[in-house]
Amino acid sequence: MGRSDLERLSKEELIELVLRLQRPEKTSRTSSKPPSTDRKERREQAKPGGAKPGHEGHSRTLSPDPDEVVAHRPGQCPCCGGALAADLPAEIVSVCEQIELPAVMPLVTQHQRLAVRCPSCGTRVVAPVPKEAASTPFGPRLHAVATYLKTFQALSYERLQAVMADLFGLTLSQGGLMNLLRRAQGRFVEGREAAVSALRRAAVVASDETGVRIEGSTSYHWVFRSDEAVVHHAAPTRAAAVVHAMMDGHRPAVWISDRYTAQQGHGERHQTCLAHLARDVTYAVEVSDDPVPLRLQLWLGSVFSLAERVSDLAASTLAAKRRALERQLSDILSAQSRCDLTRALQAKIGRAHDQLLVFLDHPGRVAVTNNGCERALRPAVVQRKVTNGYRAMWAAAGEADVRTVVDTARLTGAETFATLLKTIRA
């Protein structure tokens, strides 16, 4: 905007422009920006970590089945100097434990094919080729460890190579590691297909996506979540076509997501993530003296409070509370305001008006936020920051399959490494 454009503005427009320029930048608390983008001064104002005053301390739980027990008995009385026999009755005064890791060395099993000559006919008989000779020399646990470190600890090939050498005494080339990981990822295809099948039967599905670099181009890591399955998917696009291909015609009763256009229209009804709206409202409250954002913030607080006890309330009570919330929201959205930020917020929430309280029709089954998907995406975001993405699509798709099987198993309480080892051994 040049000087001539500014001169044509009215006094009210100039005031509005100045106020807009004076607004603070958005942070992770007032938008969807990650915490790492927050300015240093804001981080310095954060509350200190550690235990708070009055917090009851906790100590490490003693092992119920120690590998070795060493009893320390006194041998001499410090009072009279008399010897204390080993068969005297004793009581335990205190117990402490020392925990150590054993040295981890590769267990190498060498398979030798032998040939013998038959004493009856003189025929030279050679032993059949063992199954170990027909496959990789690396065992399933080694495959599981490498997959765990690469996928869930975000190690690059160079760092993974160093870990294998320094901790396990294994010298592997980066090409060898790549082949090892590719073999391991192939074992998760069947589990991924089972998870997708469960997703396509779900009544409630949530989804989200985040950017990732694949083969040097901007691509996307998608996640779809239901009570029965969590499906990760790598795709070159953020378009709705990804959802259509994943769901294969299935329309769940409720779809949960943010307000991104490609996430809309995939379920019979839609629950908008209220956490996203709450951050927008918080920003408006902080930068504007208009009362409407504060009223919206209080309204959202009432909704979150109701969501915490929605399963404990009768249907008639929920219906009454819903009518009250809808009346309050209508009053807020129809309030007049001179603040452009408030008007934009009213318009945004107004467009999602019928998607805000859908959870009340499905008590305990539909969440008011999409935090479950965001938590599922967080490891992929860490991987992106550490390794800067994937060199090949097969690597991104393979890791998505691994995360799918592991995250789906976690829904039933399974542990990450145990799931990896079980799948690779199958």
Side-chain angles (χ1 to χ4, degrees):
M1 181 177 290
R3 182 182 183 89
S4 58
D5 297 320
L6 292 173
E7 290 174 346
R8 285 195 294 269
L9 294 178
S10 66
K11 180 180 178 181
E12 289 295 326
E13 291 173 330
L14 285 172
I15 292 174
E16 186 65 32
L17 178 60
V18 171
L19 290 175
R20 191 181 304 172
L21 293 175
Q22 289 178 339
R23 289 172 185 165
E25 294 182 4
K26 290 188 175 182
T27 67
S28 61
R29 197 170 54 83
T30 58
S31 71
S32 299
K33 297 176 65 176
S36 59
T37 62
D38 289 350
R39 288 189 172 184
K40 184 177 180 181
E41 55 264 28
R42 181 170 293 277
R43 295 198 297 269
E44 290 174 347
Q45 296 170 5
K47 295 180 180 180
K52 304 300 182 286
H55 173 73
E56 182 181 354
H58 299 281
S59 57
R60 178 181 294 277
T61 303
L62 294 175
S63 173
D65 185 24
D67 298 292
E68 183 181 5
V69 175
V70 179
H72 298 269
R73 300 178 62 98
Q76 187 178 29
C77 177
C79 182
C80 65
L84 302 176
D87 57 353
L88 288 175
E91 60 175 322
I92 298 176
V93 177
S94 65
V95 177
C96 67
E97 290 184 340
Q98 183 183 43
I99 302 173
E100 179 61 291
L101 289 174
V104 180
M105 297 299 294
L107 178 61
V108 180
T109 303
Q110 190 177 82
H111 296 267
Q112 299 178 343
R113 288 181 69 199
L114 303 180
V116 297
R117 192 167 296 279
C118 176
S120 300
C121 65
T123 302
R124 184 173 178 268
V125 182
V126 180
V129 178
K131 64 180 187 300
E132 290 80 6
S135 60
T136 172
F138 304 120
R141 183 174 291 274
L142 179 55
H143 280 76
V145 168
T147 302
Y148 173 79
L149 293 174
K150 184 70 174 68
T151 305
F152 295 95
Q153 298 304 325
L155 295 189
S156 64
Y157 280 108
E158 183 178 359
R159 294 173 63 196
L160 180 58
Q161 186 181 33
V163 166
M164 289 295 179
D166 296 342
L167 296 186
F168 307 134
L170 280 172
T171 302
L172 297 172
S173 67
Q174 293 188 24
L177 284 172
M178 182 190 70
N179 292 332
L180 183 149
L181 291 167
R182 195 165 190 173
R183 279 193 301 271
Q185 290 170 355
R187 307 293 292 180
F188 292 84
V189 174
E190 183 178 347
R192 192 252 187 197
E193 292 175 350
V196 171
S197 178
L199 184 74
R200 290 172 178 170
R201 297 190 302 269
V204 179
V205 175
S207 68
D208 202 356
E209 82 291 322
T210 187
V212 63
R213 299 286 290 178
I214 302 177
E215 296 180 349
S217 300
T218 299
S219 301
Y220 295 89
H221 184 115
W222 287 74
V223 65
F224 301 86
R225 195 176 191 277
S226 70
D227 289 340
E228 298 80 21
V230 179
V231 177
H232 293 262
H233 180 69
T237 177
R238 197 187 180 195
V242 177
V243 183
H244 296 154
M246 176 60 63
M247 301 310 296
D248 193 29
H250 173 61
R251 287 178 61 83
V254 180
W255 193 275
I256 306 172
S257 74
D258 55 27
R259 292 289 300 155
Y260 179 55
T261 304
Q263 297 277 15
Q264 304 293 311
H266 304 299
E268 298 300 328
R269 301 187 67 188
H270 195 106
Q271 172 65 53
T272 285
C273 175
L274 298 188
H276 284 74
L277 295 180
R279 290 192 287 263
D280 293 337
V281 170
T282 298
Y283 179 73
V285 168
E286 292 185 356
V287 305
S288 172
D289 57 359
D290 191 285
V292 173
L294 180 58
R295 293 174 63 189
L296 281 170
Q297 190 175 57
L298 295 174
W299 185 85
L300 284 171
S302 299
V303 175
F304 286 130
S305 177
L306 179 59
E308 291 178 356
R309 51 198 178 93
V310 66
S311 300
D312 302 326
L313 300 177
S316 58
T317 303
L318 289 177
K321 289 185 176 295
R322 177 175 191 149
R323 289 193 295 269
L325 287 170
E326 288 178 341
R327 284 196 301 269
Q328 294 170 15
L329 183 60
S330 296
D331 291 341
I332 295 172
L333 295 181
S334 62
Q336 297 297 315
S337 175
R338 297 172 61 187
C339 176
D340 67 317
L341 198 60
T342 297
R343 294 195 300 270
L345 199 56
Q346 287 174 313
K348 182 176 184 178
I349 295 179
R351 290 191 295 271
H353 186 280
D354 61 342
Q355 299 181 356
L356 304 181
L357 301 176
V358 173
F359 74 97
L360 293 176
D361 297 328
H362 306 268
R365 298 180 59 204
V366 175
V368 295
T369 71
N370 202 19
N371 291 345
C373 282
E374 292 188 348
R375 286 192 295 269
L377 280 177
R378 190 169 296 136
V381 174
V382 173
Q383 194 275 350
R384 177 187 69 201
K385 291 179 178 295
V386 173
T387 65
N388 199 31
Y390 303 90
R391 298 178 185 176
M393 177 57 80
W394 68 260
E399 282 202 7
D401 291 350
V402 173
R403 294 185 190 278
T404 294
V405 173
V406 169
D407 283 358
T408 299
R410 280 176 175 168
L411 295 177
T412 59
E415 295 181 352
T416 299
F417 186 75
T419 302
L420 292 174
L421 187 57
K422 178 182 177 181
T423 305
I424 291 174
R425 278 178 169 168

